[in-house]
Short mmCIF file of all heavy atoms in Angstrom, two decimals:
data_model
loop_
_atom_site.label_atom_id
_atom_site.label_comp_id
_atom_site.label_asym_id
_atom_site.label_seq_id
_atom_site.Cartn_x
_atom_site.Cartn_y
_atom_site.Cartn_z
N GLN A 257 -3.09 0.37 7.31
CA GLN A 257 -3.07 0.13 5.87
C GLN A 257 -3.62 1.25 5.07
O GLN A 257 -3.16 1.64 3.98
CB GLN A 257 -3.81 -1.15 5.55
CG GLN A 257 -3.09 -2.40 6.04
CD GLN A 257 -3.78 -3.75 5.70
OE1 GLN A 257 -4.78 -3.70 4.97
NE2 GLN A 257 -3.29 -4.81 6.21
N LEU A 258 -4.68 1.94 5.66
CA LEU A 258 -5.18 3.18 5.03
C LEU A 258 -4.06 4.27 4.99
O LEU A 258 -3.88 4.98 3.96
CB LEU A 258 -6.35 3.71 5.74
CG LEU A 258 -6.84 5.11 5.38
CD1 LEU A 258 -7.41 5.11 3.90
CD2 LEU A 258 -7.92 5.63 6.34
N LEU A 259 -3.40 4.43 6.06
CA LEU A 259 -2.25 5.39 6.15
C LEU A 259 -1.20 5.10 5.02
O LEU A 259 -0.72 6.00 4.27
CB LEU A 259 -1.65 5.43 7.53
CG LEU A 259 -0.37 6.33 7.69
CD1 LEU A 259 -0.72 7.77 7.45
CD2 LEU A 259 0.22 6.08 9.08
N VAL A 260 -0.82 3.87 4.96
CA VAL A 260 0.25 3.41 3.98
C VAL A 260 -0.29 3.70 2.54
O VAL A 260 0.48 4.28 1.73
CB VAL A 260 0.58 1.97 4.17
CG1 VAL A 260 1.41 1.49 2.99
CG2 VAL A 260 1.33 1.76 5.47
N ALA A 261 -1.50 3.30 2.28
CA ALA A 261 -2.09 3.44 0.94
C ALA A 261 -2.16 4.94 0.56
O ALA A 261 -1.87 5.30 -0.54
CB ALA A 261 -3.40 2.77 0.89
N THR A 262 -2.50 5.78 1.53
CA THR A 262 -2.65 7.17 1.27
C THR A 262 -1.31 7.85 0.98
O THR A 262 -1.13 8.70 0.15
CB THR A 262 -3.39 7.88 2.42
OG1 THR A 262 -4.62 7.22 2.76
CG2 THR A 262 -3.68 9.37 2.13
N VAL A 263 -0.32 7.44 1.78
CA VAL A 263 1.05 7.96 1.55
C VAL A 263 1.50 7.56 0.14
O VAL A 263 2.07 8.37 -0.62
CB VAL A 263 2.10 7.45 2.64
CG1 VAL A 263 3.48 7.72 2.18
CG2 VAL A 263 1.71 8.03 3.96
N LEU A 264 1.25 6.33 -0.28
CA LEU A 264 1.64 5.84 -1.57
C LEU A 264 0.94 6.56 -2.69
O LEU A 264 1.39 6.66 -3.81
CB LEU A 264 1.40 4.35 -1.69
CG LEU A 264 2.32 3.40 -0.93
CD1 LEU A 264 1.80 1.97 -0.95
CD2 LEU A 264 3.76 3.50 -1.45
N SER A 265 -0.32 7.01 -2.41
CA SER A 265 -1.17 7.61 -3.46
C SER A 265 -0.78 9.00 -3.93
O SER A 265 -1.26 9.47 -4.92
CB SER A 265 -2.62 7.59 -3.03
OG SER A 265 -2.87 8.55 -2.00
N ALA A 266 0.15 9.61 -3.24
CA ALA A 266 0.57 10.95 -3.58
C ALA A 266 1.14 10.89 -4.99
O ALA A 266 2.08 10.12 -5.28
CB ALA A 266 1.62 11.46 -2.64
N GLN A 267 0.67 11.71 -5.91
CA GLN A 267 1.14 11.79 -7.30
C GLN A 267 1.00 10.45 -7.97
O GLN A 267 1.79 10.10 -8.89
CB GLN A 267 2.59 12.27 -7.33
CG GLN A 267 2.86 13.56 -6.66
CD GLN A 267 2.10 14.71 -7.24
OE1 GLN A 267 2.05 14.89 -8.46
NE2 GLN A 267 1.55 15.55 -6.37
N CYS A 268 0.01 9.71 -7.64
CA CYS A 268 -0.25 8.37 -8.24
C CYS A 268 -1.71 8.08 -8.20
O CYS A 268 -2.39 8.54 -7.29
CB CYS A 268 0.59 7.30 -7.50
SG CYS A 268 0.91 5.84 -8.39
N THR A 269 -2.21 7.15 -9.08
CA THR A 269 -3.61 6.90 -9.10
C THR A 269 -3.96 5.86 -8.07
O THR A 269 -3.16 5.01 -7.72
CB THR A 269 -4.03 6.35 -10.47
OG1 THR A 269 -3.35 5.08 -10.72
CG2 THR A 269 -3.71 7.38 -11.56
N ASP A 270 -5.24 5.87 -7.58
CA ASP A 270 -5.66 4.90 -6.60
C ASP A 270 -5.67 3.53 -7.29
O ASP A 270 -5.38 2.53 -6.63
CB ASP A 270 -7.07 5.23 -6.19
CG ASP A 270 -7.15 6.34 -5.16
OD1 ASP A 270 -6.04 6.94 -4.89
OD2 ASP A 270 -8.18 6.71 -4.71
N LYS A 271 -5.97 3.46 -8.58
CA LYS A 271 -5.91 2.14 -9.27
C LYS A 271 -4.60 1.50 -9.23
O LYS A 271 -4.43 0.30 -8.90
CB LYS A 271 -6.37 2.38 -10.72
CG LYS A 271 -6.36 1.07 -11.59
CD LYS A 271 -6.80 1.34 -12.99
CE LYS A 271 -6.83 0.10 -13.80
NZ LYS A 271 -7.27 0.37 -15.23
N ARG A 272 -3.53 2.32 -9.41
CA ARG A 272 -2.17 1.79 -9.31
C ARG A 272 -1.83 1.32 -7.92
O ARG A 272 -1.23 0.22 -7.72
CB ARG A 272 -1.20 2.82 -9.79
CG ARG A 272 0.27 2.54 -9.45
CD ARG A 272 0.80 1.26 -10.05
NE ARG A 272 0.71 1.22 -11.54
CZ ARG A 272 1.04 0.12 -12.31
NH1 ARG A 272 1.33 -0.97 -11.73
NH2 ARG A 272 0.93 0.24 -13.62
N ILE A 273 -2.22 2.10 -6.93
CA ILE A 273 -1.96 1.80 -5.55
C ILE A 273 -2.66 0.44 -5.16
O ILE A 273 -2.06 -0.38 -4.45
CB ILE A 273 -2.37 2.90 -4.55
CG1 ILE A 273 -1.57 4.21 -4.97
CG2 ILE A 273 -2.07 2.52 -3.14
CD1 ILE A 273 -0.13 4.04 -5.04
N ASN A 274 -3.86 0.29 -5.63
CA ASN A 274 -4.63 -0.92 -5.29
C ASN A 274 -4.00 -2.15 -5.98
O ASN A 274 -4.32 -3.28 -5.58
CB ASN A 274 -6.10 -0.74 -5.70
CG ASN A 274 -6.87 0.19 -4.79
OD1 ASN A 274 -6.46 0.45 -3.63
ND2 ASN A 274 -7.94 0.75 -5.31
N GLN A 275 -3.21 -1.95 -7.00
CA GLN A 275 -2.54 -3.10 -7.60
C GLN A 275 -1.28 -3.48 -6.83
O GLN A 275 -0.81 -4.61 -6.86
CB GLN A 275 -2.14 -2.72 -9.06
CG GLN A 275 -3.32 -2.55 -10.00
CD GLN A 275 -2.92 -1.97 -11.34
OE1 GLN A 275 -1.81 -1.45 -11.47
NE2 GLN A 275 -3.73 -2.14 -12.30
N VAL A 276 -0.69 -2.54 -6.09
CA VAL A 276 0.48 -2.71 -5.41
C VAL A 276 0.34 -3.19 -3.95
O VAL A 276 1.05 -4.00 -3.41
CB VAL A 276 1.33 -1.39 -5.38
CG1 VAL A 276 2.48 -1.41 -4.38
CG2 VAL A 276 1.82 -1.01 -6.79
N THR A 277 -0.71 -2.66 -3.30
CA THR A 277 -0.83 -2.93 -1.84
C THR A 277 -1.16 -4.37 -1.40
O THR A 277 -0.75 -4.71 -0.27
CB THR A 277 -1.89 -1.94 -1.23
OG1 THR A 277 -3.09 -1.97 -1.96
CG2 THR A 277 -1.34 -0.51 -1.15
N PRO A 278 -1.87 -5.15 -2.19
CA PRO A 278 -2.09 -6.51 -1.72
C PRO A 278 -0.88 -7.26 -1.33
O PRO A 278 -0.82 -7.82 -0.22
CB PRO A 278 -2.84 -7.20 -2.87
CG PRO A 278 -3.60 -6.06 -3.59
CD PRO A 278 -2.59 -4.94 -3.48
N ALA A 279 0.16 -7.27 -2.20
CA ALA A 279 1.40 -7.94 -1.88
C ALA A 279 2.13 -7.30 -0.74
O ALA A 279 2.75 -7.91 0.16
CB ALA A 279 2.32 -8.02 -3.06
N LEU A 280 2.08 -5.92 -0.69
CA LEU A 280 2.74 -5.15 0.37
C LEU A 280 2.11 -5.49 1.71
O LEU A 280 2.83 -5.76 2.73
CB LEU A 280 2.62 -3.67 0.04
CG LEU A 280 3.25 -2.76 1.15
CD1 LEU A 280 4.77 -2.88 1.12
CD2 LEU A 280 2.86 -1.30 0.85
N PHE A 281 0.82 -5.54 1.76
CA PHE A 281 0.13 -5.80 3.09
C PHE A 281 0.18 -7.24 3.48
O PHE A 281 0.04 -7.59 4.60
CB PHE A 281 -1.34 -5.36 3.00
CG PHE A 281 -1.53 -3.87 2.82
CD1 PHE A 281 -2.60 -3.35 2.25
CD2 PHE A 281 -0.54 -2.96 3.32
CE1 PHE A 281 -2.78 -1.95 2.12
CE2 PHE A 281 -0.71 -1.56 3.21
CZ PHE A 281 -1.86 -1.05 2.60
N GLN A 282 0.34 -8.14 2.50
CA GLN A 282 0.50 -9.53 2.82
C GLN A 282 1.86 -9.69 3.59
O GLN A 282 1.95 -10.47 4.53
CB GLN A 282 0.52 -10.40 1.57
CG GLN A 282 0.60 -11.86 1.85
CD GLN A 282 0.43 -12.76 0.62
OE1 GLN A 282 0.55 -12.26 -0.51
NE2 GLN A 282 0.11 -14.03 0.81
N ARG A 283 2.85 -9.02 3.14
CA ARG A 283 4.12 -9.15 3.81
C ARG A 283 4.27 -8.29 5.04
O ARG A 283 4.85 -8.72 6.00
CB ARG A 283 5.32 -8.73 2.81
CG ARG A 283 6.68 -9.07 3.42
CD ARG A 283 7.80 -8.75 2.44
NE ARG A 283 7.73 -9.53 1.21
CZ ARG A 283 8.66 -9.47 0.24
NH1 ARG A 283 9.62 -8.61 0.32
NH2 ARG A 283 8.53 -10.20 -0.86
N TYR A 284 3.67 -7.12 4.96
CA TYR A 284 3.73 -6.21 6.11
C TYR A 284 2.37 -5.69 6.48
O TYR A 284 1.92 -4.65 6.06
CB TYR A 284 4.62 -4.98 5.77
CG TYR A 284 5.99 -5.32 5.24
CD1 TYR A 284 6.37 -5.05 3.92
CD2 TYR A 284 6.91 -5.96 6.07
CE1 TYR A 284 7.59 -5.37 3.41
CE2 TYR A 284 8.21 -6.29 5.55
CZ TYR A 284 8.55 -6.04 4.25
OH TYR A 284 9.78 -6.34 3.76
N PRO A 285 1.64 -6.53 7.21
CA PRO A 285 0.21 -6.16 7.48
C PRO A 285 0.02 -5.08 8.48
O PRO A 285 -1.05 -4.43 8.58
CB PRO A 285 -0.38 -7.51 8.00
CG PRO A 285 0.81 -8.20 8.61
CD PRO A 285 1.97 -7.85 7.73
N ASP A 286 1.01 -4.77 9.31
CA ASP A 286 0.84 -3.80 10.34
C ASP A 286 2.19 -3.04 10.59
O ASP A 286 3.20 -3.35 9.98
CB ASP A 286 0.34 -4.41 11.66
CG ASP A 286 1.16 -5.65 12.09
OD1 ASP A 286 2.42 -5.60 11.84
OD2 ASP A 286 0.58 -6.55 12.67
N ALA A 287 2.17 -2.07 11.46
CA ALA A 287 3.30 -1.23 11.72
C ALA A 287 4.45 -2.05 12.32
O ALA A 287 5.63 -1.87 11.97
CB ALA A 287 2.95 -0.05 12.60
N ALA A 288 4.11 -2.98 13.18
CA ALA A 288 5.15 -3.83 13.82
C ALA A 288 5.94 -4.59 12.75
O ALA A 288 7.14 -4.66 12.80
CB ALA A 288 4.47 -4.79 14.82
N ALA A 289 5.22 -5.14 11.82
CA ALA A 289 5.92 -5.94 10.72
C ALA A 289 6.74 -5.06 9.84
O ALA A 289 7.89 -5.29 9.55
CB ALA A 289 4.90 -6.70 9.89
N MET A 290 6.15 -3.87 9.46
CA MET A 290 6.89 -3.00 8.52
C MET A 290 8.11 -2.30 9.23
O MET A 290 9.08 -1.95 8.57
CB MET A 290 5.97 -2.00 7.89
CG MET A 290 6.55 -1.22 6.68
SD MET A 290 5.42 -0.21 5.80
CE MET A 290 4.39 -1.46 4.94
#
C-alpha cells in the first residue's frame, strides 16, 4: 500500500492521495487482489 500510494503521489499532493486510497485499498488490499 505504501508503494501504491507513493506511485499515485507523483505530481499530486499527499492530501489528495489520502482521500483516494481508502476506497482503493478496501477493494484491492494487496498485490494479489490488484
Side-chain angles (χ1 to χ4, degrees):
Q257 292 182 6
L258 171 65
L259 174 62
V260 168
T262 306
V263 169
L264 287 173
S265 70
Q267 306 297 316
C268 201
T269 65
D270 287 0
K271 181 179 180 180
R272 166 59 61 185
I273 301 309
N274 289 337
Q275 292 172 343
V276 167
T277 50
L280 180 67
F281 294 154
Q282 183 175 17
R283 187 177 299 182
Y284 307 114
D286 51 34
M290 193 173 287

